[in-house]
Amino acid sequence: MSKSILITGGAGFIGSHVVRLFINKYPQYKIVNLDALTYAGNLENLKDVDQAPNYFFEKVNLLEADKVEAVFKKHLITDVIHLAAESHVDRSIISPLDFVYTNIIGTVNLLNVAKNFWKENYDNHLFYHISTDEVYGALGETGFFTETTAYHPNSPYSASKASSDHFVRAYAETYHLKTIVSNCSNNYGPYHFPEKLIPLFINNIITKKSLPVYGDGLYTRDWLFVKDHALAIDLIFHKGKADETYNIGGFNEWRNIDLIKLLCSLMDEKLGRQKGESETLITYVKDRPGHDRRYAIDATKINKELGWKPTVTFEQGLSETIDWYLQNTEWLQHVTSGAYQHYYENMYSSR
Ligand code: NAD
Ligand code: DAU
């Protein structure tokens, strides 16, 4: 049976990679991208695939449950891959309620619509929820997050994601909705909004602005190339076991300051600047409140059960990412000027 897959948040960073992968790899599937186009949603991320015959876009906010239901009816949705979220930790510290609305209430709205729409036979439909390693809290110098690590969220962002994960699990238990959750480490790659560490610093190095390092810079993250996350999502969607959780990570830990210095040196080389030039932009600034010291994912389960592992090294992925930003100056210029927010009107007003 062919599928009609609702991908939420498909105009965002990771969602756009998942949408592109599914459109190209599965022409027999209908791919419906539901996105509210918040500041983080950018349809220019999908410019190369948005004319594909199996692609449909619906500008809908998850908070409007009736509109979400209408999308299910219109496209006879068979499965959901749910990525839409408020995703930036710093914004969650300034405005926690935005995260409660989208990440918790938005997810519960989506669960309710799926539960009602699929009630004849839950076995034939999958609700796949994309989550984060931040739900597990912070690690000390050693150890890894496994699928059985207790939840201990520290930021309003991670608390809202943890809550949404719990709701998904509760809907599986209570209503027998077929669900899967995956929790991934820090992604990087093309189309990443320049508010997050790597794209922000790439943009600041290009424009010779200061590089604001939070606290002592010794915080550690486990970085994964976004295309490898999309491949993991594809594999889990098709081969994952119902009602299970999968951790996804790169076994690739970097202290922020070491990563930033690597980025500076790669960019000096690519931009033909003097060795050491970009490092002079490094500026230590006030720390993020509640800053988690270290994340590290144990990705053994997905590796052993589904055979997934990253396809690129960090050096390859980072180099490809920098090249992409250097080549896609128009994308970056539209994002930093805000012009990308007019893409929807220009593209869809006549349709
Ligand atoms: P993003 O911020 O780039 O994109 C989020 C998308 O969701 C945007 O297109 C936005 O318009 C849309 N959206 C926001 N609120 C909405 C609403 N109320 N209704 C409909 N659409 C809405 O996020 P991302 O970095 O691509 O992350 C995608 C998912 O993956 C999130 O659930 C995030 O928690 C998770 N995740 C992200 C990372 C990472 O490193 N970026 C790592 C692990 C997990
Ligand atoms: O671990 C997965 C998570 O990774 C995702 O769930 C989130 O959606 C995603 O935003 C990311 O969260 P982080 O907080 O780890 O990412 P961010 O890029 O904001 O920060 C990475 C590290 O760099 C973190 O230790 C904070 C630091 N930092 C960040 C920024 C933006 C700085 O030192 N300076 C900065 O300007």
Side-chain angles (χ1 to χ4, degrees), residues 121-253:
N121 188 349
Y122 287 131
D123 285 346
N124 290 340
H125 307 285
L126 177 66
F127 188 105
Y128 177 12
H129 177 60
I130 306 302
S131 193
T132 170
D133 60 357
E134 301 205 8
V135 298
Y136 299 122
L139 291 164
E141 296 274 298
T142 57
F144 293 92
F145 298 133
T146 72
E147 286 79 1
T148 55
T149 301
Y151 275 31
H152 191 94
N154 291 318
S155 72
Y157 163 67
S158 53
S160 67
K161 289 297 290 186
S163 174
S164 65
D165 294 8
H166 290 321
F167 270 104
V168 173
R169 224 194 65 74
Y171 272 59
E173 201 64 32
T174 308
Y175 306 111
H176 308 297
L177 199 64
K178 198 165 101 182
T179 67
I180 297 182
V181 177
S182 59
N183 298 80
C184 190
S185 64
N186 284 63
N187 286 216
Y188 69 96
Y191 303 107
H192 206 180
F193 195 82
E195 63 180 353
K196 311 280 169 68
L197 180 75
I198 290 182
L200 175 74
F201 279 34
I202 289 176
N203 187 41
N204 285 11
I205 291 170
I206 294 172
T207 52
K208 299 191 178 179
K209 282 203 209 112
S210 75
L211 306 176
V213 179
Y214 296 166
D216 61 7
L218 301 180
Y219 294 85
T220 299
R221 296 290 181 266
D222 171 2
W223 293 94
L224 179 70
F225 193 47
V226 63
K227 293 181 190 175
D228 279 325
H229 188 189
L231 289 171
I233 290 173
D234 177 18
L235 200 58
I236 291 170
F237 178 78
H238 287 98
K239 303 266 166 60
K241 281 199 207 129
D243 306 331
E244 293 270 330
T245 288
Y246 293 90
N247 277 357
I248 308 169
F251 283 113
N252 177 42
E253 288 183 52

Side-chain angles (χ1 to χ4, degrees), residues 19-57:
V19 166
R20 176 177 296 99
L21 177 68
F22 274 66
I23 287 176
N24 290 331
K25 191 168 169 189
Y26 303 107
Q28 74 278 26
Y29 292 172
K30 190 168 163 181
I31 303 303
V32 182
N33 172 13
L34 181 153
D35 199 298
L37 299 184
T38 67
Y39 81 94
N42 181 355
L43 285 179
E44 289 189 36
N45 295 356
L46 292 166
K47 229 173 169 174
D48 55 327
V49 287
D50 65 11
Q51 300 302 317
N54 62 337
Y55 173 69
F56 301 85
F57 176 67

Side-chain angles (χ1 to χ4, degrees), residues 286-320:
K286 196 162 158 267
D287 210 349
R288 170 187 282 174
H291 198 167
D292 286 332
R293 194 63 168 167
R294 175 172 165 258
Y295 303 142
I297 279 277
D298 178 350
T300 306
K301 178 175 168 179
I302 184 173
N303 176 255
K304 288 257 155 64
E305 284 188 15
L306 304 180
W308 175 88
K309 60 176 192 313
T311 62
V312 294
T313 64
F314 189 52
E315 285 70 13
Q316 287 166 334
L318 196 58
S319 179
E320 185 178 329

